[in-house]
Amino acid sequence: MSRYGDGIKERMTSRATATGTEQALDFKNPWGRYSIDARWIAFECGCAAERVASFAFRPERWDPVIFEGLPEQALYETVCSRHLEGMNDRLRFGGFVDFEQWRRHRRDALLGRTR
């Protein structure tokens, strides 16, 4: 990851850990502005990820996890049209056709939830 990306990761992690209230961060990143609250990281582009303390089982490298391996992680719930193609490419490594198939068949299992 680039030095720029590492800085974003550190800032988002520190804000997510330090606050339980929604924070709109002022600096720009590849997704635009974003907000963090106790449950969600919502990006200006429309992507959103749910914050999680732990997973029911270990995520694979192709699972769309933000901050993999850190105490505060997040798992994508929605992906905007701008980032969908790249996300679909990533998930094909796990044998999924697209984000929606992954979301239906794997997301809840990673979180230890049943439908």
Side-chain angles (χ1 to χ4, degrees):
M1 180 177 274
S2 71
R3 182 173 281 165
Y4 178 71
D6 287 339
I8 292 167
K9 186 172 165 177
E10 290 169 12
R11 289 184 218 184
M12 285 182 72
T13 301
S14 68
R15 292 285 180 107
T17 302
T19 67
T21 61
E22 187 169 332
Q23 295 286 321
L25 305 181
D26 294 328
F27 68 91
K28 287 289 187 180
N29 65 60
W31 301 274
R33 291 174 55 105
Y34 54 86
S35 63
I36 299 173
D37 68 19
R39 185 170 177 193
W40 298 100
I41 300 173
F43 297 94
E44 183 178 54
C45 65
C47 292
E50 184 175 4
R51 293 174 57 190
V52 295
S54 64
F55 292 99
F57 59 93
R58 188 178 157 272
E60 297 292 337
R61 293 186 58 115
W62 39 263
D63 282 318
V65 176
I66 302 174
F67 312 134
E68 186 174 356
L70 296 178
E72 287 278 338
Q73 300 179 53
L75 187 64
Y76 276 92
E77 165 67 17
T78 59
V79 180
C80 73
S81 59
R82 184 173 133 209
H83 295 110
L84 186 58
E85 184 178 338
M87 181 66 76
N88 288 341
D89 288 345
R90 176 183 181 154
L91 293 172
R92 285 185 188 108
F93 287 109
F96 295 94
V97 172
D98 60 17
F99 180 78
E100 283 307 313
Q101 184 189 39
W102 172 85
R103 190 174 167 280
R104 283 191 311 271
H105 296 284
R106 185 152 168 88
R107 187 178 189 282
D108 285 342
L110 277 170
L111 296 174
R113 299 177 184 158
T114 57
R115 286 192 180 236

